[in-house]
Amino acid sequence: MRDDERDGVARTRAIGNEAELLAVSAQASADDVVAAVRNWIDAAVPAAWLEAGRRGGPAAVRQVRSRAEYEAWYPTFGRSGLAAASWPRAYGGLGLSPELARRVDEELRPFNLGRLNPLGLNLAAPALFAHGTEEQRLRFLPPIVRNEEVWCQLFSEPGAGSDLASLATRAEQDDDDWVITGQKVWTTWAHLSDWAVLLARTDVHVPKRRGLTYFLVDLHQSGVEIRPLRHMGGEVDFNEVFLDGARVPDTCRVGAVGAGWEVANATLSGERQMVSGAGSGGVDRIGGSGVGHLIGLARQRSAHGGSGGWDDPVQRDEITRLYCEERVREWTNLRVRRQVRAGRSPGAESSVGKVHQGQLNQRVQLVATGVLGLAATAWLGDGGDYGATLPYEVRGMLRSRANTIEGGTTEINKNILGERVLGLPREPDRFVGAPWDEVPRS
């Protein structure tokens, strides 16, 4: 059989097994769901990935599958409903219960079938579920699941980071459109995105949180300019975005005019949960690898006779402490994830995982560079691009420095925990309740 014939047979089998998945009801038994998922995996996942996953799990799959290959294949995953198995079918999911969706994840995990479009799934979708119209959910959620429209978040500004509600980007209504003018910054993956969730000021004469409105913005228009910001590790994740007369139809407004802060909180809770690490259901780690990689690195160091490796009792004790913390973090995140899958917002509790993960990951990456020893202190650039030759552990350490800032600073998240979880009094603010245009700004 020729390769094109074999591919055609595989596609036919995959489509047939997608139909089998879509026929699984929310009342199906766990055994029926697992059987349908396994049949789909056998039919739809390329043979080399299947063999690698069964032999060595996600690490082995990463050795035989490039990012580009996964992105090219991903629409098959998106059409199956497995990428958001607990979402209703009309929105691109399978309508499964949280428990059955967890069983789906267990079947997918060995083959490293991660969700693409994390900002769409974890930032845009919570706002649409909580505050969007049915027309908006039907229009935007299925392409998010299939990774056909990639999303980012236009919230932070040069003068409004931790105090997000003080933002100055303006939205003015023009018949059935809104005209957006302003600047956003630290926008993750804007250069790769098609759409963005945006918070803009629609009323300057009321207190800052009451004058905001939440929009969905098409980034492929002349009024949007995206400029990349390069990390000290050499890569580009963040961007600054300039909005100069960008237009948004009123049908892309989420929630009522002036109710944007309430809508934004659904996005912010999803963001904190997404960056809370293992078990969070979002991005597992931003910067470096986990303690498993650290243990392997330390053992390798000792095997080659180096100091500060696994045979060093002080180093081994430190790594063991980090391992214990990582497990506690994972269990905490799993509890919050169950809330989300039960249809409830992750709420202020998501700040617990965010605070813990940011500081923990920074410590993990610092220990990893310590295990490298002198190899972590100097390297040669290639054609002036030093980032291309950075040791993996050094790159992870440099990237992790942003963990306690992105997704809400640690200090702001501690305030949220104190006020909303512990019930402590709010921090004094002499301008609380004052109209936005009467509050001094730098």
Side-chain angles (χ1 to χ4, degrees), residues 306-343:
S307 61
W310 190 249
D311 291 342
D312 183 328
V314 175
Q315 187 77 284
R316 188 168 63 249
D317 180 71
E318 175 63 21
I319 294 173
T320 302
R321 289 174 183 271
L322 292 172
Y323 174 85
C324 293
E325 283 196 56
E326 198 165 83
R327 295 285 75 74
V328 169
R329 180 206 58 189
E330 181 177 0
W331 297 331
T332 301
N333 288 338
L334 285 171
R335 288 200 299 271
V336 179
R337 190 178 180 186
R338 280 179 176 268
Q339 277 191 208
V340 174
R341 285 195 157 165

Side-chain angles (χ1 to χ4, degrees), residues 3 45 71 202 256 308 427 441:
D3 287 345
V45 176
E71 289 179 348
T202 48
E427 230 179 272
R441 280 175 295 282

Side-chain angles (χ1 to χ4, degrees), residues 220-242:
H220 299 301
Q221 57 174 297
S222 59
V224 177
E225 180 184 359
I226 299 171
R227 301 180 188 173
L229 297 168
R230 193 169 296 277
H231 293 185
M232 59 183 172
E235 67 272 34
V236 172
D237 277 342
F238 301 143
N239 301 265
E240 52 184 347
V241 180
F242 296 86

Side-chain angles (χ1 to χ4, degrees), residues 154-174:
L154 297 176
F155 277 17
S156 296
E157 299 182 5
S162 295
D163 184 14
L164 177 62
S166 68
L167 62 84
T169 293
R170 295 291 304 276
E172 298 178 329
Q173 194 159 18
D174 179 22

Side-chain angles (χ1 to χ4, degrees), residues 119-130:
L119 304 189
L121 291 168
N122 296 286
L123 275 60
L128 289 168
F129 273 116

Side-chain angles (χ1 to χ4, degrees), residues 6-91:
R6 187 178 296 108
D7 291 343
V9 171
R11 282 194 295 271
T12 301
R13 291 179 60 208
I15 291 169
N17 280 276
E18 285 169 20
E20 180 184 354
L21 279 173
L22 294 173
V24 173
S25 71
Q27 289 74 40
S29 69
D31 289 343
D32 288 341
V33 171
V34 168
V37 173
R38 288 178 178 175
N39 288 340
W40 179 86
I41 289 172
D42 287 342
V45 176
W49 306 357
L50 273 177
E51 189 279 328
R54 288 169 175 154
R55 169 174 44 84
V61 174
R62 284 192 288 270
Q63 293 177 351
V64 301
R65 187 189 76 193
S66 70
R67 171 79 178 193
E69 289 172 334
Y70 188 55
E71 289 179 348
W73 173 85
Y74 193 84
T76 300
F77 186 39
R79 288 193 306 269
S80 72
L82 294 171
S86 61
W87 287 15
R89 295 171 184 271
Y91 306 150

Side-chain angles (χ1 to χ4, degrees), residues 27 114 165 174 261 269 310 313 326 394 414 426:
Q27 289 74 40
D174 179 22
W261 187 249
S269 290
W310 190 249
E326 198 165 83
V394 175
K414 285 183 175 179
R426 293 182 64 87

